[in-house]
Amino acid sequence: MPEAERVEVTDDTLMADLSDGRTISVPLAWYPRLVHATPAERRNWRFIGVGQGIHWPDLDEDISVEGLLAGRPSGESQESLKRWLEARK
């Protein structure tokens, strides 16, 4: 499994450069916590598992390279997202 080596989050896209030379790009809409994050929160990430995943500590969000490659959007329930959004107010 390739590892993430570089990550970029724009207003509408999450992109990751992988160790095998690929760049994967997915819609930010797949990850509601990233959609609702501030630009500073989106920039505050770190690799987990030596590039096997990406963690955003301010958002309590983890995204695996495996999930990105499989095309899996966030599995968070609407109820969980609603509670998270309420707690941010």
Side-chain angles (χ1 to χ4, degrees), residues 1 6 8 10-11 15-16 23 26-28 30 32 37 43-46 51 53 61 71 79 81 83:
M1 177 70 58
R6 184 179 154 283
E8 182 179 352
T10 68
D11 287 339
M15 293 172 283
T23 297
V26 298
L28 202 64
W30 284 9
R43 285 190 301 270
N44 183 27
W45 59 268
R46 65 179 175 85
E61 179 74 87
E79 185 177 306
L81 179 62
R83 280 194 309 271

Side-chain angles (χ1 to χ4, degrees), residues 1-10 12-28 30-31 34 42 45-48 50-56 62-71:
M1 177 70 58
E3 288 119 18
E5 295 183 331
R6 184 179 154 283
V7 173
E8 182 179 352
V9 184
T10 68
D12 59 4
T13 306
L14 168 62
M15 293 172 283
D17 291 340
L18 305 181
S19 59
D20 64 3
R22 288 182 284 179
T23 297
I24 190 157
S25 176
V26 298
L28 202 64
W30 284 9
Y31 305 102
L34 290 175
R42 289 180 190 158
W45 59 268
R46 65 179 175 85
F47 289 123
I48 51 178
V50 193
Q52 294 172 349
I54 311 153
H55 174 68
W56 285 264
D62 297 307
I63 299 173
S64 70
V65 170
E66 181 181 3
L68 290 173
L69 288 170

